[in-house]
Amino acid sequence: MPTDDNIIIADDAVIYPGDLHEDFIRSSGPGGQNVNKVATAVQLRFDAQNATGLSERVRIRTIKLAGQRATKDGVIVIEAGRFRTQEQNRADARARLTALVAKAAEPPPPPRKKTRPSKGAVERRLKSKAGRGTIKKLRGRVESD
C-alpha cells in the first residue's frame, strides 16, 4: 500500500495512516482561557499489535520499548500537548512515534566476544592480592614473647 502518507522507517518498519488514530483533547498547563476552550493536545493511538507494516521482531521490540504507553492490547498511546496548535502537537506526536519505532527497528548489537585475561595479567593480580593480604596481616595486634 505505498502512498505519500506512509512513514517509512526501515525495510521492515512502515507506519501506514490507517494504523493511526488521533483524538484531540484539551491541553493542561498555562494558557489562560484558551486552555479551557480549545482542544489542541493530540492523543495518537498506534495499533502496533495489528500493524501490517511492522515485522514481528520490530513489533515486539516496539511494544516493549513503549513500556507504560502501550496497553495490554498492544496499542501505543502518545499524548502531545507541548505546543499551542493542533498541527504542531500532531507533528510532535508523530515524530515521537517514529523515533520509538526507529529505535525498535535498529538491528540487534553483535554478540559479545568472550575474552580471557592473559597469563601475565592473572599472575600480577594474584601477586597484588597476596601483597594486600600480607599488609592486612601485619595490621594485627603485636604479641610479645
Side-chain angles (χ1 to χ4, degrees):
M1 298 190 300
T3 64
D4 294 339
D5 295 338
N6 293 345
I7 302 171
I8 300 169
I9 296 159
D11 291 339
D12 55 352
V14 178
I15 300 173
Y16 296 116
D19 296 333
L20 299 175
H21 178 71
E22 293 173 338
D23 289 321
F24 292 98
I25 54 177
R26 289 193 183 140
S27 189
S28 62
Q33 290 184 4
N34 196 49
V35 168
N36 301 328
K37 293 188 295 184
V38 185
T40 55
V42 67
Q43 190 177 60
L44 180 70
R45 292 178 173 275
F46 174 61
D47 190 0
Q49 190 66 40
N50 301 317
T52 55
L54 301 181
S55 68
E56 194 60 33
R57 180 186 70 83
V58 175
R59 174 177 296 123
I60 291 167
R61 286 205 63 213
T62 301
I63 293 171
K64 185 179 174 189
L65 287 172
Q68 294 255 311
R69 293 175 288 185
T71 64
K72 290 178 186 174
D73 302 328
V75 177
I76 297 171
V77 180
I78 295 177
E79 289 190 14
R82 280 194 287 185
F83 303 102
R84 290 189 64 153
T85 64
Q86 280 186 353
E87 281 307 312
Q88 285 178 309
N89 285 329
R90 175 187 275 159
D92 181 41
R94 286 178 183 234
R96 284 165 45 195
L97 176 65
T98 303
L100 177 72
V101 176
K103 188 167 175 65
E106 289 176 355
R112 179 183 165 272
K113 286 184 181 175
K114 294 181 180 177
T115 59
R116 298 181 79 170
S118 66
K119 199 171 183 181
V122 172
E123 288 175 8
R124 285 191 299 273
R125 184 179 63 87
L126 293 176
K127 188 176 177 187
S128 70
K129 277 174 68 92
R132 284 194 302 269
T134 306
I135 290 169
K136 289 182 178 185
K137 253 184 213 153
L138 293 173
R139 285 187 197 150
R141 206 177 284 258
V142 179
E143 293 182 16
S144 58
D145 292 331

